Amino acid sequence: MNAITALAVSPAPANPSHSHGVAHGVDAALLAKYDGLRVPRYTSYPTAPHFTPEVNGDVYGGWLEAIEPSRSGSLYLHVPFCQKMCWYCGCHTKIVARYEPIAEYLDHMRREIAMVADRIPGRLAVRHIHFGGGTPTMMAPDDFEAMIALLLKRFDVADDAELAVEIDPRTLTVEMAAAMGRAGVNRASLGVQDFDETVQQAINRVQPRAVTEQALAWLKDAGIASVNLDLMYGLPHQSVESVARSAEVALEMAPDRLSVFGYAHVPWMKTHQKKIDESVLAGSLGRWEQFAAIADTLSAAGYSAIGLDHFARPGDELAVQQEEGRLGRNFQGYTTDDAEILLGFGSSSIGALPQGYVQNAVPFDHYATAIEEGRLPTGKGIALTQDDKVRRDLIMRLMCDLSVDTAAIARAHGLPESAFDAELEGMADLVADGVAVMDGRRIHVPENARPLMRIVAARFDTHLSKGAGRHSRAV
């Protein structure tokens, strides 16, 4: 019996990620043990803390010029403006009271789009476009439609492409909803976080139910029927009962998908989070119980659990791709997008190409200066090694399927099936604690340990020791 066989306990189910229910039999001691770890969310591998200035605009330009005409891609546009700061926010945003800074920023973004498109041989085929932020719907309706027209001009956008926009219901107008409909938007993601007024006050985001319902009605009238709602747990004053009620209210709005994110309290990185009273934040067990309450509420209503933190109606493309083992994950979370190329536009946006990852300059002035000087505004990035690519595939499948056959991944990359035996042998503690189940060279995260899957993925991360302190808590 070799070391891998010795660690095997019970065989993983044939389709381990295809459960509708979410059990939550994890004990407090186990949560306390692993909650102290800080691990990435693995929306990429290697993750952003490992990007360096060595990958600059010149490097990115060369990668763009090497894109093969047969490749397809996706576009992400970052609009980092909000009218008011939500104290839980971990995004790169700027609060503005006037439209002039937004108009100036959009002018720079249009120029960046032109620079990037000029470097690519031919017109890149595009099937996914995502507007994120910040609050993209702070754009004037005319500016939004003009931006879509520019993308259609510079890229070969498929007629049935997914065009998604993140929305703050508090600032959406009927005019903007109509503009999005005319421009072809077919998916909207609405930030809710929590419907409880006490919680809303504590995070500086007061959003009555009626405001969200009005936004949904405007979107429906504009022909945008596919909707995602974002909920959060671990926020101040939340309880098991309150988050379950918020999930029930969300269900009454009949979204196709829901995202359930844990609040990452990192006031040393985001100083506005210091306004949140830490004394009313739940501990690791309380956070887990809140997540479980939301998950059980959604599962009881027929939604399928998707990866770490998403839920979808059966028949939704996200659920279908998970069933078929084709689910993907990128900087926007779980996705049906399988393009190898992601072009990011705007300050702080991240892109991915076969050669590696790039991130635009974060400070607005650095981003703007590069554009004005005719330079690609790349601030940092990382070139992928062959080892990075193998581990990226392995971590992706684990994060999407809760299970991965390490031998199969190794074979697919021309490596011996034993390539990851050292990592598997090093998981004896996770197996003993019930965080992982091993069957030969297949590793599986059981349903009751779903929120701990990042800990399992981190065991395959050879970069983690160089940036662990900059990640969020494990639970």
Side-chain angles (χ1 to χ4, degrees), residues 321-369:
Q321 288 204 3
Q322 178 175 257
E323 290 282 347
E324 297 175 351
R326 298 186 295 114
L327 183 66
R329 183 166 172 81
N330 62 19
F331 300 103
Q332 285 75 59
Y334 290 101
T335 178
T336 59
D337 181 9
D338 60 359
E340 191 174 6
I341 295 169
L342 170 64
L343 302 180
F345 300 106
S347 170
S348 80
S349 66
I350 300 178
L353 292 92
Q355 300 92 331
Y357 298 105
V358 292
Q359 182 174 21
N360 278 348
V362 174
F364 286 18
D365 57 341
H366 292 188
Y367 170 77
T369 297

Side-chain angles (χ1 to χ4, degrees), residues 98-274:
R98 301 176 299 111
Y99 191 71
E100 287 77 7
I102 301 175
E104 181 179 351
Y105 177 85
L106 296 177
D107 178 63
H108 286 98
M109 184 183 284
R110 286 188 288 267
R111 293 160 68 179
E112 181 193 3
I113 290 169
M115 277 194 285
V116 169
D118 285 345
R119 301 292 286 269
I120 300 173
R123 294 173 75 237
L124 182 69
V126 169
R127 296 190 59 84
H128 289 258
I129 300 174
H130 189 105
F131 284 78
T135 309
T137 48
M138 284 185 69
M139 298 170 63
D142 289 348
D143 283 342
F144 181 82
E145 292 189 80
M147 188 67 74
I148 296 297
L150 175 62
L151 298 178
L152 294 175
K153 178 181 178 181
R154 299 309 306 257
F155 301 98
D156 186 13
V157 180
D159 291 339
D160 61 347
E162 179 178 279
L163 207 172
V165 180
E166 297 176 10
I167 295 171
D168 182 342
R170 299 172 302 166
T171 60
L172 183 67
T173 65
V174 65
E175 292 81 11
M176 185 58 179
M180 289 193 295
R182 291 192 298 269
V185 172
N186 47 30
R187 182 172 295 281
S189 181
L190 279 68
V192 171
Q193 322 322 337
D194 194 290
F195 285 102
D196 186 280
E197 185 177 353
T198 300
V199 176
Q200 292 179 357
Q201 292 282 357
I203 61 175
N204 200 38
R205 186 189 176 98
V206 176
Q207 183 176 318
R209 172 177 177 166
V211 170
T212 303
E213 290 175 331
Q214 178 64 83
L216 289 170
W218 285 337
L219 294 171
K220 182 178 180 181
D221 290 344
I224 306 169
S226 187
V227 171
N228 177 90
L229 297 182
D230 292 342
L231 299 177
M232 292 185 71
Y233 64 93
L235 293 171
H237 297 293
Q238 283 183 321
S239 66
V240 168
E241 294 75 20
S242 74
V243 297
R245 286 195 298 271
S246 284
E248 290 167 356
V249 173
L251 287 171
E252 292 174 11
M253 299 178 185
D256 297 283
R257 304 172 185 174
L258 296 103
S259 304
V260 182
F261 301 122
Y263 167 55
H265 190 58
V266 287
W268 58 91
M269 293 175 59
K270 299 294 181 180
T271 56
H272 55 264
Q273 290 188 355
K274 293 179 180 178

Side-chain angles (χ1 to χ4, degrees), residues 385-394 405-421 423 441 460:
T385 66
Q386 186 58 35
D387 184 66
D388 289 337
K389 293 178 181 179
V390 179
R391 292 175 184 274
R392 177 182 62 180
D393 288 355
L394 193 157
D405 184 341
T406 63
I409 295 291
R411 286 196 308 270
H413 287 271
L415 299 174
E417 292 188 352
S418 60
F420 296 101
D421 281 6
E423 285 86 349
R441 289 189 169 97
F460 296 100

